[in-house]
Amino acid sequence: MSKIKKIGVLTSGGDAPGMNAAIRAVVRASIYHKLDVVGIEQGYHGLILDRIIKMDSSSVSGIINQGGTILKSARSESFRTKEGRAKAAEVIKKHKIDALVVIGGDGTFTGARIFTQEHNIPIVGVPGTIDNDLYGTDYTIGYDTASNTVIEAVDKIRDTASAHSRLFFVEVMGRDAGFLALRSAIAAGAEAVLVPEVKTDHQKLETFLQSGFKKKKTSSIVLVAEGEKEFGVVKIADQVSKNHPEYDVRVTILGHLQRGGSPTAFDRVLASRLGVSAVEALLDDQKSIMVGWVNREVVHVPFNQALKNKKNLTPALLSLIEVLSI
Ligand code: F6P
């Protein structure tokens, strides 16, 4: 018999479509297993400030289709400090919370790992970020929806790009990772993609501009991940404009619209599976792990492993762009 009687759930870091579906799954699975469950508003920030709300089955009705997070999110500076974490531990004790499910990305799990070490509170993480940059899971919640949002936007940009025979540089989110840019680039038929994981090869870009764009004299779209290390989208576009005054260059920064919207079926189902699995993992006395999704199965990945290792882009996908953009 597990000692866990009461679970707290929070969302932290950048929100991602499907987080609500994950909250719903955690709440309903807890009730199913006869546990008490509370929501913690505004992530670790709200935990320190004692923003705890009782949750029941109806608190999560009608949210599976909503983007954002009903529990709200935050990036907490105070949780990075020992004092902040000690306050959070007091709140947990006060409310007799036995374990936490934290939904978020690597920052969320880094906080969770330290918190467990310091205060011995069992925590299971559910990967939720549009960046898909967590090691140990093929997909993170929100990545599929965000990819579809990017594709829809790029499809629209292509209409006007083609009407004016323009060259567009489109910035896609991903501070440190190019998963969203790469997947969206393939699906939207972009001519090239620049990602933080691969040093921008100016010669290659030049060859593409000379042979591809020039020859076809039509529109082209280059997706640039936000974290492209060398210049960023504006500088790259400026440089190309300067070196090629013959091209009509434009820049679009997609920004936070990529984080919103109703989650896709894939994200809703993934969030539901992982949310329920997180509660079951806690009941099984697991702690300091992330529940991930590998080869269509739920896996348990220790926070240490998920955080220490870097998830790599699939090389085959990188070469796909080259083959398909000729
Ligand atoms: O981690 C998710 C993410 O959307 C990144 O892609 C992006 O770099 C960052 O969050 C933006 O953070 P914020 O919303 O705090 O500006």
Side-chain angles (χ1 to χ4, degrees):
M1 254 300 257
S2 167
K3 282 188 234 99
I4 291 170
K5 302 273 175 282
K6 187 172 188 178
I7 287 181
V9 56
L10 62 80
T11 48
S12 160
D15 61 304
M19 277 185 164
N20 278 326
I23 296 169
R24 173 180 178 269
V26 171
V27 169
R28 297 249 163 111
S30 299
I31 296 167
Y32 179 85
H33 288 289
K34 311 216 174 334
L35 304 172
D36 282 337
V37 57
V38 291
I40 299 155
E41 290 183 322
Q42 289 183 295
Y44 297 126
H45 176 69
L47 179 59
I48 293 169
L49 297 178
D50 199 353
R51 298 198 172 137
I52 312 290
I53 51 171
K54 175 109 188 73
M55 305 289 278
D56 56 28
S57 190
S58 63
S59 340
V60 291
S61 293
I63 65 166
I64 196 167
N65 55 328
Q66 288 173 17
T69 154
I70 57 160
L71 290 177
K72 303 193 180 294
S73 192
R75 300 191 196 274
S76 170
E77 279 309 316
S78 18
F79 199 71
R80 290 177 199 271
T81 66
K82 221 175 164 59
E83 299 73 45
R85 292 191 295 273
K87 271 195 200 152
E90 275 170 36
V91 174
I92 286 189
K93 211 164 154 195
K94 174 178 153 195
H95 289 275
K96 297 189 168 53
I97 296 168
D98 300 309
L100 292 179
V101 174
V102 298
I103 306 166
D106 55 354
T108 305
F109 296 171
T110 303
R113 180 179 57 171
I114 303 174
F115 195 48
T116 305
Q117 277 162 5
E118 287 177 351
H119 298 283
N120 196 26
I121 292 158
I123 307 185
V124 169
V126 175
T129 161
I130 63 163
D131 293 347
N132 198 34
D133 58 348
L134 276 165
Y135 179 88
T137 186
D138 292 344
Y139 291 95
T140 57
I141 296 162
Y143 170 58
D144 186 63
T145 307
S147 309
N148 281 293
T149 302
V150 173
I151 293 161
E152 204 184 318
V154 173
D155 286 350
K156 288 180 176 152
I157 290 169
R158 194 175 283 289
D159 289 345
T160 176
S162 122
H164 289 268
S165 302
R166 281 177 171 157
L167 168 60
F168 267 82
F169 288 90
V170 180
E171 188 192 87
V172 171
M173 269 191 170
R175 206 171 8 209
D176 305 307
F179 294 95
L180 185 58
L182 178 57
R183 185 177 195 228
S184 309
I186 292 167
E191 279 69 24
V193 62
L194 305 178
V195 289
E197 292 85 343
V198 181
K199 194 171 153 38
T200 297
D201 183 339
H202 293 276
Q203 194 47 51
K204 230 176 179 179
L205 189 61
E206 192 52 37
T207 313
F208 153 71
L209 292 168
Q210 292 288 348
S211 57
F213 187 62
K214 203 170 181 176
K215 231 187 316 171
K216 286 193 232 159
K217 277 206 170 41
T218 166
S219 66
S220 275
I221 292 178
V222 178
L223 291 202
V224 183
E226 193 188 3
E228 192 279 330
K229 292 281 185 294
E230 271 192 79
F231 296 116
V233 71
V234 173
K235 274 197 187 159
I236 290 175
D238 278 353
Q239 203 183 47
V240 170
S241 274
K242 218 165 80 204
N243 297 344
H244 294 279
E246 70 278 21
Y247 298 159
D248 199 3
V249 177
R250 291 291 185 275
V251 170
T252 302
I253 296 176
L254 296 182
H256 284 79
L257 71 82
Q258 296 161 91
R259 288 240 294 260
S262 182
T264 56
F266 182 89
D267 275 331
R268 295 180 197 199
V269 175
L270 179 69
S272 302
R273 274 301 290 276
L274 295 184
V276 171
S277 301
V279 172
E280 289 174 354
L282 283 171
L283 287 174
D284 204 20
D285 282 335
Q286 302 274 346
K287 59 177 171 183
S288 243
I289 60 148
M290 168 187 89
V291 284
W293 185 246
V294 174
N295 294 333
R296 302 197 295 158
E297 298 277 357
V298 174
V299 293
H300 292 174
V301 187
F303 280 149
N304 274 341
Q305 240 184 62
L307 294 168
K308 200 177 66 197
N309 296 298
K310 188 170 164 49
K311 181 158 144 188
N312 294 320
L313 292 177
T314 311
L317 290 187
L318 279 167
S319 37
L320 254 193
I321 295 274
E322 261 183 68
V323 174
L324 297 176
S325 66
I326 49 163

Coordinates of all heavy atoms in Angstrom, one line a residue, residues 196-249:
P196 N 20.0 25.7 -33.9 CA 21.1 25.9 -33.0 C 22.1 24.8 -33.0 O 23.3 25.0 -32.7 CB 20.5 26.1 -31.6 CG 19.0 26.1 -31.8 CD 18.7 25.7 -33.2
E197 N 21.6 23.5 -33.2 CA 22.5 22.4 -33.1 C 23.5 22.3 -34.3 O 24.5 21.5 -34.1 CB 21.6 21.1 -33.2 CG 20.7 20.8 -32.0 CD 19.4 21.6 -32.1 OE1 19.3 22.5 -32.9 OE2 18.5 21.2 -31.3
V198 N 23.3 23.0 -35.4 CA 24.2 22.9 -36.5 C 24.7 24.3 -36.8 O 23.9 25.2 -37.0 CB 23.4 22.3 -37.8 CG1 24.4 22.2 -39.0 CG2 22.7 21.0 -37.4
K199 N 26.0 24.4 -36.8 CA 26.7 25.7 -37.1 C 26.2 26.2 -38.5 O 26.2 25.4 -39.5 CB 28.2 25.5 -37.1 CG 28.9 26.8 -37.0 CD 30.4 26.5 -36.8 CE 31.3 27.6 -37.3 NZ 30.9 29.0 -37.2
T200 N 25.7 27.4 -38.5 CA 25.2 27.9 -39.8 C 26.3 27.9 -40.8 O 27.4 28.6 -40.6 CB 24.6 29.3 -39.6 OG1 23.5 29.1 -38.7 CG2 24.1 29.9 -40.9
D201 N 26.1 27.3 -41.9 CA 27.1 27.1 -43.0 C 26.8 28.2 -44.0 O 25.9 28.0 -44.9 CB 27.0 25.7 -43.5 CG 28.1 25.5 -44.6 OD1 28.6 26.4 -45.2 OD2 28.4 24.3 -44.8
H202 N 27.6 29.3 -44.0 CA 27.3 30.4 -44.9 C 27.5 30.0 -46.3 O 26.8 30.5 -47.2 CB 28.1 31.6 -44.5 CG 27.7 32.1 -43.1 ND1 26.7 33.0 -43.0 CD2 28.2 31.9 -41.9 CE1 26.6 33.2 -41.7 NE2 27.5 32.6 -41.0
Q203 N 28.5 29.2 -46.5 CA 28.7 28.8 -47.9 C 27.5 28.0 -48.5 O 27.1 28.3 -49.6 CB 30.0 27.9 -47.9 CG 30.5 27.6 -49.3 CD 30.7 29.0 -50.1 OE1 31.2 29.9 -49.6 NE2 30.1 29.0 -51.3
K204 N 27.0 27.1 -47.6 CA 25.8 26.4 -48.0 C 24.6 27.3 -48.3 O 23.9 27.1 -49.3 CB 25.4 25.4 -46.9 CG 25.3 24.0 -47.4 CD 25.0 23.2 -46.2 CE 24.8 21.7 -46.4 NZ 24.6 21.0 -45.2
L205 N 24.4 28.2 -47.4 CA 23.3 29.2 -47.6 C 23.5 29.9 -48.9 O 22.6 30.2 -49.6 CB 23.3 30.1 -46.4 CG 22.1 31.0 -46.2 CD1 20.8 30.2 -46.1 CD2 22.2 31.9 -45.0
E206 N 24.7 30.3 -49.1 CA 25.1 31.1 -50.4 C 24.8 30.2 -51.6 O 24.1 30.7 -52.6 CB 26.5 31.5 -50.3 CG 27.0 32.5 -51.3 CD 26.1 33.7 -51.3 OE1 25.7 34.2 -50.3 OE2 25.9 34.2 -52.4
T207 N 25.2 28.9 -51.5 CA 24.9 28.0 -52.7 C 23.4 27.9 -52.9 O 23.0 28.0 -54.0 CB 25.5 26.6 -52.4 OG1 26.8 26.8 -51.9 CG2 25.5 25.7 -53.6
F208 N 22.7 27.8 -51.8 CA 21.2 27.7 -51.9 C 20.7 29.0 -52.6 O 19.8 28.9 -53.5 CB 20.6 27.5 -50.5 CG 19.2 27.9 -50.4 CD1 18.2 27.3 -51.0 CD2 18.9 29.1 -49.6 CE1 16.9 27.8 -50.9 CE2 17.6 29.6 -49.5 CZ 16.6 28.9 -50.2
L209 N 21.2 30.1 -52.1 CA 20.7 31.4 -52.7 C 21.0 31.5 -54.2 O 20.2 32.0 -55.0 CB 21.3 32.6 -51.9 CG 20.8 32.6 -50.4 CD1 21.6 33.6 -49.7 CD2 19.3 33.0 -50.4
Q210 N 22.2 31.1 -54.5 CA 22.7 31.2 -55.9 C 21.9 30.2 -56.8 O 21.4 30.6 -57.8 CB 24.2 30.8 -56.0 CG 25.1 31.8 -55.3 CD 25.2 33.1 -56.1 OE1 24.8 33.2 -57.2 NE2 25.8 34.2 -55.5
S211 N 22.0 29.0 -56.3 CA 21.4 27.9 -57.3 C 19.9 27.8 -57.1 O 19.2 27.9 -58.1 CB 22.1 26.6 -57.0 OG 21.9 26.3 -55.7
G212 N 19.5 27.6 -55.9 CA 18.0 27.4 -55.7 C 17.2 28.6 -56.0 O 16.5 28.6 -57.0
F213 N 17.3 29.5 -55.1 CA 16.4 30.7 -55.2 C 16.5 31.4 -56.5 O 15.6 31.7 -57.2 CB 16.6 31.6 -54.0 CG 15.6 32.7 -54.0 CD1 14.3 32.5 -53.8 CD2 16.0 34.1 -54.1 CE1 13.3 33.5 -53.7 CE2 15.1 35.1 -54.0 CZ 13.7 34.8 -53.8
K214 N 17.8 31.7 -56.9 CA 18.1 32.5 -58.1 C 17.5 31.8 -59.4 O 16.8 32.4 -60.2 CB 19.6 32.7 -58.3 CG 19.9 33.9 -59.1 CD 21.4 34.2 -58.9 CE 21.8 35.4 -59.7 NZ 23.3 35.6 -59.4
K215 N 17.8 30.5 -59.4 CA 17.5 29.8 -60.6 C 15.9 29.7 -60.8 O 15.4 30.0 -61.9 CB 18.0 28.3 -60.5 CG 18.7 27.9 -61.8 CD 19.1 26.5 -61.8 CE 19.7 25.9 -60.6 NZ 19.9 24.6 -60.3
K216 N 15.3 29.4 -59.7 CA 13.8 29.3 -59.8 C 13.1 30.6 -59.9 O 12.0 30.7 -60.4 CB 13.3 28.5 -58.5 CG 13.6 27.1 -58.5 CD 12.8 26.4 -57.4 CE 13.7 25.6 -56.5 NZ 13.2 25.3 -55.2
K217 N 13.8 31.7 -59.4 CA 13.3 33.0 -59.5 C 11.8 33.0 -58.9 O 10.9 33.7 -59.5 CB 13.3 33.6 -60.9 CG 14.6 34.2 -61.3 CD 14.4 35.2 -62.3 CE 15.5 36.1 -62.7 NZ 16.8 35.6 -62.8
T218 N 11.6 32.2 -57.9 CA 10.3 32.2 -57.3 C 10.5 32.5 -55.8 O 11.5 32.9 -55.4 CB 9.7 30.8 -57.6 OG1 8.6 30.7 -56.8 CG2 10.6 29.6 -57.4
S219 N 9.5 32.1 -55.0 CA 9.6 32.4 -53.6 C 10.4 31.3 -52.9 O 10.5 30.2 -53.4 CB 8.2 32.5 -53.0 OG 7.6 31.2 -53.1
S220 N 10.9 31.7 -51.8 CA 11.6 30.7 -50.9 C 11.3 31.0 -49.5 O 11.2 32.2 -49.1 CB 13.1 30.6 -51.2 OG 13.4 29.8 -52.3
I221 N 11.3 29.9 -48.7 CA 11.1 30.1 -47.2 C 12.2 29.4 -46.5 O 12.5 28.2 -46.7 CB 9.7 29.7 -46.8 CG1 8.7 30.6 -47.4 CG2 9.6 29.6 -45.3 CD1 7.3 30.2 -47.1
V222 N 12.9 30.2 -45.6 CA 13.9 29.6 -44.8 C 13.4 29.7 -43.3 O 13.1 30.8 -42.9 CB 15.3 30.4 -44.9 CG1 16.3 29.8 -44.0 CG2 15.7 30.3 -46.4
L223 N 13.4 28.6 -42.6 CA 13.0 28.7 -41.2 C 14.2 28.8 -40.4 O 15.2 28.1 -40.6 CB 12.2 27.4 -40.8 CG 10.8 27.2 -41.3 CD1 10.0 26.2 -40.4 CD2 10.0 28.4 -41.5
V224 N 14.2 29.7 -39.4 CA 15.3 29.9 -38.5 C 14.9 29.7 -37.1 O 14.0 30.4 -36.6 CB 15.9 31.4 -38.7 CG1 17.1 31.6 -37.9 CG2 16.2 31.6 -40.2
A225 N 15.5 28.8 -36.4 CA 15.1 28.6 -35.0 C 15.6 29.8 -34.2 O 16.7 30.3 -34.5 CB 15.8 27.3 -34.5
E226 N 14.8 30.2 -33.2 CA 15.2 31.3 -32.4 C 16.6 31.3 -31.8 O 17.3 32.3 -31.7 CB 14.2 31.2 -31.2 CG 14.0 32.4 -30.3 CD 13.2 32.0 -29.1 OE1 12.7 30.8 -29.0 OE2 12.9 32.8 -28.3
G227 N 17.0 30.0 -31.5 CA 18.3 29.9 -30.9 C 19.5 29.8 -31.9 O 20.6 29.4 -31.5
E228 N 19.3 30.1 -33.1 CA 20.4 30.0 -34.1 C 21.5 30.8 -33.6 O 21.4 32.0 -33.3 CB 19.9 30.5 -35.5 CG 20.8 30.3 -36.6 CD 22.0 31.2 -36.7 OE1 21.9 32.4 -36.3 OE2 23.1 30.8 -37.2
K229 N 22.6 30.1 -33.3 CA 23.7 30.7 -32.5 C 24.4 32.0 -33.1 O 24.7 32.9 -32.3 CB 24.7 29.7 -32.2 CG 24.2 28.5 -31.3 CD 24.2 28.9 -29.8 CE 23.8 27.8 -28.9 NZ 22.4 27.3 -29.0
E230 N 24.6 32.0 -34.3 CA 25.5 33.0 -34.8 C 25.0 34.4 -34.9 O 25.6 35.4 -34.5 CB 26.1 32.5 -36.2 CG 27.3 31.7 -36.0 CD 28.0 31.5 -37.3 OE1 28.7 32.4 -37.8 OE2 27.7 30.5 -37.9
F231 N 23.8 34.5 -35.6 CA 23.3 35.9 -35.8 C 21.9 36.1 -35.4 O 21.5 37.1 -35.0 CB 23.3 36.1 -37.4 CG 24.7 36.1 -37.9 CD1 25.1 35.1 -38.8 CD2 25.6 37.0 -37.5 CE1 26.4 35.1 -39.3 CE2 26.9 37.1 -38.0 CZ 27.3 36.1 -39.0
G232 N 21.0 35.1 -35.6 CA 19.6 35.4 -35.4 C 19.0 35.8 -36.8 O 19.7 36.2 -37.7
V233 N 17.7 35.7 -36.8 CA 17.0 35.8 -38.1 C 17.2 37.2 -38.7 O 17.4 37.3 -39.9 CB 15.5 35.5 -37.9 CG1 14.7 36.5 -37.1 CG2 14.8 35.2 -39.2
V234 N 17.2 38.3 -37.9 CA 17.2 39.6 -38.5 C 18.6 39.9 -39.1 O 18.7 40.4 -40.3 CB 16.9 40.7 -37.4 CG1 17.1 42.1 -38.0 CG2 15.4 40.5 -36.9
K235 N 19.6 39.5 -38.4 CA 21.0 39.7 -39.0 C 21.2 38.9 -40.2 O 21.8 39.4 -41.2 CB 22.0 39.4 -37.9 CG 22.3 40.6 -37.0 CD 23.6 40.3 -36.3 CE 23.9 41.4 -35.2 NZ 24.8 40.9 -34.2
I236 N 20.8 37.7 -40.2 CA 20.9 36.8 -41.4 C 20.2 37.5 -42.6 O 20.8 37.6 -43.7 CB 20.4 35.4 -41.2 CG1 21.3 34.7 -40.2 CG2 20.3 34.6 -42.5 CD1 20.8 33.3 -39.8
A237 N 19.0 37.9 -42.4 CA 18.2 38.5 -43.5 C 18.9 39.8 -44.0 O 19.0 40.0 -45.2 CB 16.8 38.7 -43.0
D238 N 19.4 40.6 -43.0 CA 20.1 41.8 -43.4 C 21.3 41.5 -44.3 O 21.5 42.2 -45.3 CB 20.6 42.6 -42.2 CG 19.4 43.4 -41.5 OD1 18.4 43.5 -42.2 OD2 19.6 43.9 -40.4
Q239 N 22.0 40.5 -43.8 CA 23.2 40.2 -44.6 C 22.9 39.7 -46.0 O 23.5 40.2 -46.9 CB 24.0 39.1 -43.8 CG 25.5 39.1 -44.1 CD 26.1 37.9 -43.4 OE1 25.6 36.8 -43.4 NE2 27.2 38.2 -42.8
V240 N 21.9 38.9 -46.1 CA 21.5 38.4 -47.4 C 21.0 39.5 -48.3 O 21.4 39.6 -49.5 CB 20.4 37.3 -47.3 CG1 19.8 36.9 -48.6 CG2 21.0 36.0 -46.6
S241 N 20.3 40.5 -47.7 CA 19.8 41.6 -48.4 C 20.9 42.5 -49.0 O 20.9 42.9 -50.1 CB 19.0 42.5 -47.5 OG 17.7 42.1 -47.4
K242 N 21.9 42.6 -48.1 CA 23.1 43.4 -48.5 C 23.9 42.8 -49.6 O 24.2 43.4 -50.6 CB 24.0 43.6 -47.3 CG 24.6 45.0 -47.2 CD 25.2 45.4 -45.9 CE 26.5 44.7 -45.8 NZ 27.0 44.5 -44.4
N243 N 24.1 41.5 -49.4 CA 24.9 40.8 -50.5 C 24.1 40.5 -51.7 O 24.7 40.2 -52.8 CB 25.4 39.4 -49.9 CG 26.3 39.6 -48.7 OD1 26.8 40.8 -48.5 ND2 26.6 38.6 -47.9
H244 N 22.8 40.5 -51.6 CA 22.0 40.1 -52.8 C 20.9 41.2 -52.9 O 19.7 40.9 -52.7 CB 21.4 38.8 -52.6 CG 22.4 37.6 -52.7 ND1 22.9 37.1 -53.8 CD2 22.9 37.0 -51.6 CE1 23.7 36.2 -53.5 NE2 23.8 36.1 -52.2
P245 N 21.2 42.4 -53.4 CA 20.2 43.4 -53.5 C 19.1 43.0 -54.5 O 18.0 43.6 -54.5 CB 21.0 44.6 -54.0 CG 22.4 44.2 -54.2 CD 22.6 42.8 -53.7
E246 N 19.4 42.0 -55.3 CA 18.4 41.5 -56.3 C 17.3 40.8 -55.7 O 16.2 40.6 -56.3 CB 19.1 40.7 -57.4 CG 19.6 39.3 -57.0 CD 21.0 39.3 -56.3 OE1 21.4 40.3 -55.8 OE2 21.6 38.2 -56.3
Y247 N 17.5 40.3 -54.4 CA 16.4 39.6 -53.8 C 15.5 40.5 -52.9 O 16.0 41.4 -52.2 CB 17.0 38.5 -52.8 CG 17.8 37.4 -53.5 CD1 18.7 36.7 -52.8 CD2 17.7 37.1 -54.9 CE1 19.5 35.7 -53.4 CE2 18.4 36.2 -55.5 CZ 19.3 35.4 -54.7 OH 20.1 34.5 -55.3
D248 N 14.3 40.2 -52.9 CA 13.3 40.9 -52.1 C 13.1 40.1 -50.8 O 12.4 39.1 -50.8 CB 12.0 41.1 -52.9 CG 11.1 42.2 -52.3 OD1 11.6 42.9 -51.4 OD2 10.0 42.3 -52.9
V249 N 13.8 40.5 -49.7 CA 13.8 39.7 -48.5 C 12.9 40.3 -47.5 O 12.8 41.5 -47.3 CB 15.3 39.7 -47.9 CG1 15.3 39.0 -46.6 CG2 16.3 39.1 -48.9

